[in-house]
């Protein structure tokens, strides 16, 4: 098969997976598109959310409950902390805002101490 043929199959597979994801999550396919028209990269879903293909695949493979990815999405926004969706589904611990702030303060203090030498 030619490269063009393989790319056409890849694009079709990406679009089919995105359609399944949208159906599962209740997003309108009409309001969903691949950012920069690049299938398999980042999808803009429902005009409010952006998901990478790895997260779309994880959601489908893990059979996560509908809406779970939205919960994860807002948790990331609120914390300004990144945790992989698949790992989060499996219980990866996520620090609170307070814990993150304390860790940042500790790091800043240690950096100051290092520069005092």
């Amino acid at each position: 098969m030619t490269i063009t043929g393989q790319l056409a199959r890849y694009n079709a597979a990406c679009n089919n997976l995105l359609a399944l994801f949208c159906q599962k999550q209740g997003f309108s396919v009409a309001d969903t598109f691949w950012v920069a028209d690049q299938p398999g990269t980042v999808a803009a879903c429902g005009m409010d959310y952006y998901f990478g293909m790895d997260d779309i695949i994880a959601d489908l493979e893990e059979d996560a409950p509908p809406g779970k990815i939205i919960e994860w999405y807002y948790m990331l926004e609120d914390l300004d902390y990144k945790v992989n969706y698949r790992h989060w589904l499996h219980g990866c611990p996520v620090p609170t805002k307070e814990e993150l702030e304390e860790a940042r303060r500790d790091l800043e203090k240690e950096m100051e101490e290092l520069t005092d030498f």
Side-chain angles (χ1 to χ4, degrees):
M1 181 173 278
T2 66
I3 290 175
T4 303
Q6 290 289 6
L7 289 173
R9 290 176 65 187
Y10 171 78
N11 290 341
C14 290
N15 290 331
N16 289 339
L17 288 169
L18 181 58
L20 288 171
F21 174 77
C22 287
Q23 181 181 23
K24 175 184 177 185
Q25 297 299 333
F27 295 128
S28 166
V29 174
D31 292 335
T32 298
F33 58 91
W34 292 108
V35 174
D37 200 26
Q38 296 293 307
T41 58
V42 175
C45 301
M47 307 301 282
D48 291 320
Y49 305 99
Y50 293 85
F51 300 108
M53 188 63 164
D54 56 335
D55 298 324
I56 292 168
I57 290 171
D59 189 76
L60 296 170
E61 282 183 339
E62 299 288 338
D63 197 24
K68 197 71 172 173
I69 198 165
I70 303 300
E71 181 184 337
W72 168 78
Y73 189 90
Y74 283 121
M75 185 267 315
L76 289 182
E77 263 187 8
D78 290 345
L79 288 179
D80 190 31
Y81 177 79
K82 307 302 177 224
V83 62
N84 176 288
Y85 179 55
R86 188 181 302 268
H87 293 147
W88 181 78
L89 285 172
H90 288 275
C92 177
V94 178
T96 65
K97 276 187 176 184
E98 294 77 22
E99 290 169 332
L100 284 173
E101 289 170 7
E102 182 179 344
R104 286 184 183 120
R105 283 192 302 273
D106 291 347
L107 178 61
E108 288 173 5
K109 181 179 176 184
E110 289 178 21
M111 293 299 289
E112 285 177 18
E113 290 174 3
L114 284 174
T115 58
D116 287 343
F117 285 111

